Amino acid sequence: KAGVTQTPRYLIKTRGQQVTLSCSPISGHRSVSWYQQTPGQGLQFLFEYFSETQRNKGNFPGRFSGRQFSNSRSEMNVSTLELGDSALYLCASSSNSGTGNGYTFGSGTRLTVV
Amino acid sequence: AQSVTQLGSHVSVSEGALVLLRCNYSSSVPPYLFWYVQYPNQGLQLLLKYTTGATLVKGINGFEAEFKKSETSFHLTKPSAHMSDAAEYFCAVTPYNQGGKLIFGQGTELSVKP
């Protein structure tokens, strides 16, 4: 059974640009969550999608957005990149939302903003 | 707001010694509780979870954790450390009314000395 796939693995962008990250969940999983991991702030929740609807949102500016497609694949977009957006972005999927099933994480996309 | 506290950002043990990683959460209602492990340049792997039922939870790789409601704790233990256990460990909670959202502790880096 394939795991959670995130693409690309590494990305270098310039300040002011925008970026789109992709996440393919485990087959059959309908819940996809996104997290930002930095040395200073640790792991922070960005948002969660379930059946194409955003169910929860963290405390991030509107520059961070996401969406989920009918096949459960998800994308997150960051516009007007800032140096502080450099981080490891992790995607996680689960078969349901809010049932404590636990989440399976992908290997992440490491974004560097220069 | 709910929070998770991991006592000790770095723990060092000798190979074969007991591993004890501490986690306390703030909540008046028992949430779902998780322990994840992260190896360098990888995503998070679920070690174990507590949802309901038995308060002593066994996970992968010989790890276990005990949910103590009176102490709002969920400490992770392993009787005998192995070199391959060296990694970063994260405790996380999912609040009942915010399914799909994981709140993480700051992480504990475990070193294992030969």
Side-chain angles (χ1 to χ4, degrees):
Chain A
K1 193 175 187 181
V4 178
T5 303
Q6 291 189 246
T7 57
R9 284 297 309 273
Y10 301 93
L11 207 49
I12 300 176
K13 290 287 188 178
T14 303
R15 265 184 307 174
Q17 288 187 310
Q18 74 166 14
V19 67
T20 299
L21 311 182
S22 179
C23 172
S24 293
I26 290 173
S27 178
H29 283 192
R30 297 163 66 191
S31 172
V32 174
S33 301
W34 288 88
Y35 294 83
Q36 181 195 65
Q37 184 176 25
T38 59
Q41 299 299 315
L43 282 153
Q44 294 186 284
F45 172 76
L46 280 156
F47 29 65
E48 185 233 359
Y49 287 87
F50 182 78
S51 294
E52 301 180 66
T53 301
Q54 188 180 88
R55 296 291 292 270
N56 276 293
K57 189 177 190 308
N59 297 322
F60 278 82
R63 300 185 297 108
F64 292 81
S65 63
R67 59 178 175 169
Q68 186 180 33
F69 302 96
S70 58
N71 61 358
S72 293
R73 189 177 72 85
S74 177
E75 290 181 346
M76 69 163 281
N77 183 277
V78 187
S79 62
T80 320
L81 284 165
E82 301 177 359
L83 295 179
D85 297 333
S86 295
L88 179 66
Y89 289 89
L90 293 165
C91 164
S93 76
S94 177
S95 58
N96 209 334
S97 175
T99 61
N101 286 345
Y103 286 80
T104 302
F105 282 79
S107 296
T109 294
R110 182 158 306 273
L111 171 65
T112 302
V113 182
V114 297
Chain B
Q2 190 144 67
S3 64
V4 177
T5 301
Q6 291 183 239
L7 190 61
S9 59
H10 188 267
V11 170
S12 181
V13 300
S14 298
E15 191 172 22
L18 171 72
V19 175
L20 170 61
L21 304 182
R22 300 177 187 272
C23 172
N24 287 88
Y25 63 92
S26 65
S27 175
S28 59
V29 179
Y32 300 137
L33 294 154
F34 307 87
W35 275 99
Y36 283 88
V37 61
Q38 186 177 34
Y39 298 99
N41 297 315
Q42 293 188 27
L44 302 173
Q45 180 183 11
L46 179 66
L47 279 175
L48 48 80
K49 63 181 180 181
Y50 170 80
T51 52
T52 58
T55 56
L56 182 61
V57 181
K58 295 187 184 299
I60 62 172
N61 301 338
F63 285 94
E64 61 182 39
E66 186 172 9
F67 168 61
K68 291 187 176 181
K69 181 179 176 181
S70 61
E71 298 177 7
T72 59
S73 69
F74 192 56
H75 302 330
L76 181 71
T77 61
K78 182 175 181 177
S80 177
H82 191 273
M83 296 296 290
S84 60
D85 294 327
E88 187 146 24
Y89 292 78
F90 293 93
C91 180
V93 303
T94 294
Y96 268 159
N97 61 348
Q98 296 186 55
K101 175 180 179 178
L102 285 168
I103 300 171
F104 286 91
Q106 284 298 102
T108 297
E109 184 178 356
L110 175 67
S111 300
V112 182
K113 299 175 290 186

